[in-house]
Amino acid sequence: MKKMLGNIRKGYGKKLVSIHMWNAWLVLFLALSGLLLVGGFWREVLGEGRVWLKWAHIAFGLVLLIPVIYYLLLAAKHWKRLKGKTAQKTNVIFVLLLLVGWIVSGIVLWQFRLAGPRAANMALLVHDLLTWIGLPVIIYHSITRVKWLKEPKMRSVIPEQDAGESGGASGGQQRPAATGGPQPVYTRRGFIKLAVGAGLAITVGPTFVRWIGKSFQLPGSAEYAANNANALLPDPVPLAESSPPIGGGAEGNFRVYTVTDIPAFDNSNWSFTINGLVDKTFTWNWEEFVRLQREVQVSDFHCVTGWSVYKNTWEGLPLYKLLDMAGVQNKATTVKFYSGDGVYTDSLTLAQARMEDVMVAVMHDGQPIPNQLGGPVRLITPQMYAYKSVKWLNRIELIEEDHVGYWEQRGYDKDAWVPGAKRV
């Protein structure tokens, strides 16, 4: 074992440079793919390719383990070379913590079904936080070390002539460059580093501040309701169990994802239909729909991307009661749901649709569901991940054949059960 470690550590300076390079490329891919995966615009543009990109993101994240483990095998020798260099030691520790944090939180998100919603929720917050903190540092670190900045003419310090130990990434010694006259206050390299740092502060800083605000004080239901672009009258009158909410109010915050622009509705362009293989077709306008007898439930809401909102008080119509009103014909096997965005659809089996907690919701925590969160009406499936909870729901169709929903067509599981759910 000792001999093997000795062989691994031989020429460790060059190996550290290689590790630095591979880390840079891997993190670059992970950063770009991560931004594409969370962007609402790209969710629609990528289509099925988003699923492949997600798996590539996971695979490259796992590959990131290799340079980290390899570095740890070299760390003892490297650490000796950094004796007395507090700043460099701090940098190494920061990068290691960043990479390990990314990897561990990423693995939890990858295995979210095993980890469970609460662990996934925390992992997503950690993953995002490390990304916003780490990416500016890595971008700055990489840009200010591009090859042409390392040319002797462009820098105020040059490395010792020791091929095995040279280079900033390997912790090599540096000595002042020979000078023949007065030194400028800033070298070109120093000026570029300062400019890059300032540019990152200006461009990334505000985004980071907004993310911090959204992550730790994300808009609650009341704020979404205040910005609700729907203009449907009259407002539904909440039941006593909704106002105040019997669940005590939702715990956590929603992240708004959509594959289209967020639509808005008023009385002139909204209706709700249940048709297909039913004994009686219904079409309600808003005034009629809000007069239907509603019920209240408290349930958790889980997104497949890792976040959750707990103890939501939903008010609406249990789906099985709507089905009973319409009368489901014997040939029907599937309940298909249509979104008012004109694009998104999904489905449940009849057995799934008849679960008692599946609800066509109109209110959340005593307030009308705003358009940002899928209102005025959205489906709620507490025991399934939220891509089954169709937003802007305006039509239910009973069909004989199977139906593959929007995200299932793009690689998501047909059944979206949350761990611990009572499957039917």
Side-chain angles (χ1 to χ4, degrees):
M1 183 68 178
K2 189 174 180 179
K3 184 177 180 181
M4 183 178 71
L5 282 174
N7 290 333
I8 290 174
R9 291 169 178 169
K10 189 178 294 182
Y12 90 102
K14 291 181 179 179
K15 291 178 178 178
L16 285 177
V17 173
S18 296
I19 289 172
H20 187 277
M21 179 189 70
W22 281 109
N23 269 340
W25 283 112
L26 288 170
V27 170
L28 176 63
F29 175 82
L30 291 170
L32 293 176
S33 58
L35 292 172
L36 291 176
L37 287 170
V38 301
F41 171 78
W42 292 107
R43 291 167 73 87
E44 171 65 15
V45 170
L46 291 170
E48 187 175 353
R50 182 183 181 277
V51 178
W52 291 105
L53 183 62
K54 175 185 174 182
W55 285 111
H57 186 84
I58 292 170
F60 274 72
L62 293 173
V63 170
L64 192 61
L65 273 168
I66 296 174
V68 171
I69 293 172
Y70 197 15
Y71 172 77
L72 292 176
L73 295 174
L74 304 175
K77 190 171 182 180
H78 187 212
W79 210 247
K80 289 179 182 178
R81 298 292 300 178
L82 296 180
K83 185 177 180 180
K85 299 178 180 179
T86 305
Q88 291 186 43
K89 284 184 176 181
T90 301
N91 179 65
V92 171
I93 293 172
F94 172 80
V95 172
L96 279 177
L97 290 175
L98 181 67
L99 294 176
V100 171
W102 262 334
I103 292 168
V104 172
S105 59
I107 289 174
V108 173
L109 290 171
W110 169 41
Q111 295 296 327
F112 65 92
R113 292 183 185 275
L114 296 176
R118 289 191 180 273
N121 202 24
M122 180 57 67
L124 181 64
L125 181 63
V126 170
H127 207 71
D128 285 350
L129 181 61
L130 293 178
T131 298
W132 284 113
I133 291 175
L135 274 183
V137 174
I138 288 172
I139 293 170
Y140 176 80
H141 183 78
S142 299
I143 292 177
T144 57
R145 282 161 176 76
V146 293
K147 186 175 180 180
W148 74 271
L149 284 174
K150 289 187 175 183
E151 294 298 325
K153 293 179 181 179
M154 303 298 179
R155 55 193 287 172
S156 58
V157 292
I158 59 174
E160 294 281 356
Q161 299 303 312
D162 182 349
E165 309 294 341
S166 65
S170 61
Q173 301 293 319
Q174 293 184 327
R175 60 182 173 82
T179 60
Q183 296 300 300
V185 175
Y186 277 109
T187 62
R188 182 178 299 184
R189 186 185 187 204
F191 175 78
I192 291 175
K193 290 175 71 172
L194 180 63
V196 169
L200 285 172
I202 292 169
T203 56
V204 178
T207 306
F208 173 65
V209 170
R210 284 195 300 272
W211 178 85
I212 287 290
K214 289 182 177 180
S215 295
F216 296 98
Q217 284 187 327
L218 277 166
S221 297
E223 187 172 342
Y224 278 123
N227 296 318
N228 185 13
N230 290 330
L232 290 149
L233 296 173
D235 286 337
V237 178
L239 298 175
E241 296 92 336
S242 286
S243 184
I246 59 174
E251 297 178 2
N253 296 286
F254 291 90
R255 297 187 179 205
V256 177
Y257 300 146
T258 175
V259 298
T260 66
D261 291 336
I262 297 176
F265 303 92
D266 58 36
N267 293 65
S268 68
N269 66 1
W270 190 90
S271 64
F272 193 97
T273 298
I274 179 167
N275 63 3
L277 298 175
V278 294
D279 296 330
K280 185 177 181 181
T281 295
F282 286 95
T283 296
W284 294 279
N285 62 27
W286 178 251
E287 293 93 334
E288 296 166 335
F289 194 78
V290 295
R291 286 199 297 265
L292 297 177
Q293 183 61 49
R294 299 190 298 274
E295 297 182 12
V296 175
Q297 73 165 9
V298 178
S299 58
D300 299 333
F301 186 96
H302 305 294
C303 180
V304 75
T305 59
W307 56 270
S308 301
V309 180
Y310 299 93
K311 297 183 180 178
N312 300 277
T313 299
W314 299 104
E315 183 179 318
L317 296 92
L319 178 59
Y320 75 90
K321 292 192 175 182
L322 274 177
L323 297 179
D324 289 344
M325 286 176 62
V328 179
Q329 297 178 6
N330 291 333
K331 292 189 297 182
T333 63
T334 302
V335 184
K336 182 179 179 182
F337 305 94
Y338 294 82
S339 170
D341 66 6
V343 174
Y344 199 92
T345 61
D346 215 308
S347 67
L348 297 172
T349 67
L350 266 177
Q352 292 167 350
R354 287 193 173 277
M355 292 190 296
E356 290 187 357
D357 58 358
V358 177
M359 175 177 279
V360 176
V362 177
M363 306 191 78
H364 176 254
D365 282 355
Q367 298 287 335
I369 302 174
N371 69 319
Q372 303 98 317
L373 299 185
V377 175
R378 74 170 298 166
L379 188 68
I380 298 299
T381 56
Q383 298 188 65
M384 294 181 169
Y385 285 105
Y387 61 90
K388 287 288 187 180
S389 297
V390 178
K391 291 187 283 191
W392 311 301
L393 181 66
N394 65 359
R395 181 186 171 198
I396 298 173
E397 182 185 16
L398 278 295
I399 60 177
E400 184 175 2
E401 67 277 8
D402 187 24
H403 172 71
V404 181
Y406 181 92
W407 281 119
E408 289 93 332
Q409 293 175 28
R410 292 157 174 80
Y412 279 36
D413 290 341
K414 183 71 166 62
D415 291 321
W417 299 110
V418 173
K422 183 180 178 182
R423 305 187 179 200
V424 295

